[in-house]
Amino acid sequence: MEFSPEEYYNSALEAFGNNNFHIVKELLQECIKVNPSDHEAFTLLAGCFEKEGELSEAALSFKKALEIRPDIPEYHYNYGLGLTRIGRIEEGRKKMQDFIRLAPQHPLVEKAKRFVRDKDFLRKF
């Protein structure tokens, strides 16, 4: 029996809350097979990879979510942060600048601005 993308996602969300990351990844892979444009599934998958320390995979998943929905400012922030965590600092800064431009009133803007100005900021949080 095949589930709907929403059922896969909701089950993955529950498993994420229980720290069952292996199950989360399996469910989200199925979700993405059924609906390859599910940006929320890619974002949750990125969070799962982050929790497991798979930072390159997390950055790739954030990138995919951003490609699907470039109009969501937080995706620019998440991908920028992901890039910096894998050592691609300048690319990460550019994504942070995109975030600042797209959402100048967002609560994370001050943090993003500090990041853009300070090369060592990533080590501070």
Side-chain angles (χ1 to χ4, degrees), residues 5-21 23-25 27-28 31 40-41 43-45 47-48:
E6 185 176 292
E7 290 169 320
Y8 281 122
Y9 182 82
N10 288 338
S11 294
L13 201 54
E14 183 179 329
F16 187 87
N18 293 324
N19 296 322
N20 293 326
F21 302 123
I23 292 170
V24 174
K25 288 191 285 189
L27 289 166
L28 291 175
C31 179
E40 291 175 326
T43 300
L44 185 57
L45 186 59
C48 186

Side-chain angles (χ1 to χ4, degrees), residues 2-68:
E2 191 171 294
F3 295 109
S4 72
E6 185 176 292
E7 290 169 320
Y8 281 122
Y9 182 82
N10 288 338
S11 294
L13 201 54
E14 183 179 329
F16 187 87
N18 293 324
N19 296 322
N20 293 326
F21 302 123
H22 179 72
I23 292 170
V24 174
K25 288 191 285 189
E26 287 179 6
L27 289 166
L28 291 175
Q29 291 299 335
E30 291 301 316
C31 179
I32 291 165
K33 280 183 197 174
V34 176
N35 181 9
S37 62
D38 189 335
H39 58 99
E40 291 175 326
F42 281 104
T43 300
L44 185 57
L45 186 59
C48 186
F49 284 130
E50 277 188 336
K51 292 279 190 183
E52 291 188 319
E54 298 178 54
L55 301 181
S56 292
E57 293 297 322
L60 288 173
S61 294
F62 280 134
K63 179 182 181 184
K64 187 65 179 166
L66 177 62
E67 288 171 347
I68 295 167

Side-chain angles (χ1 to χ4, degrees), residues 5 7 16 19 46 54-55 70-71 73 79 83 101 107-108 111 118:
E7 290 169 320
F16 187 87
N19 296 322
E54 298 178 54
L55 301 181
D71 59 314
Y79 182 45
L83 287 169
R101 180 180 45 76
L108 290 172
K111 186 183 258 189
D118 184 354

Side-chain angles (χ1 to χ4, degrees), residues 50 58-60 62-63 66 73-99 112 115-116 122 125:
E50 277 188 336
L60 288 173
F62 280 134
K63 179 182 181 184
L66 177 62
E74 292 83 359
Y75 289 1
H76 293 268
Y77 181 88
N78 291 339
Y79 182 45
L81 201 53
L83 287 169
T84 60
R85 288 182 173 152
I86 60 172
R88 294 167 57 185
I89 306 295
E90 289 309 313
E91 291 173 84
R93 276 201 177 105
K94 288 178 184 172
K95 284 292 142 200
M96 290 292 183
Q97 289 169 334
D98 290 344
F99 168 71
F115 175 76
V116 169
L122 184 62
F125 75 93

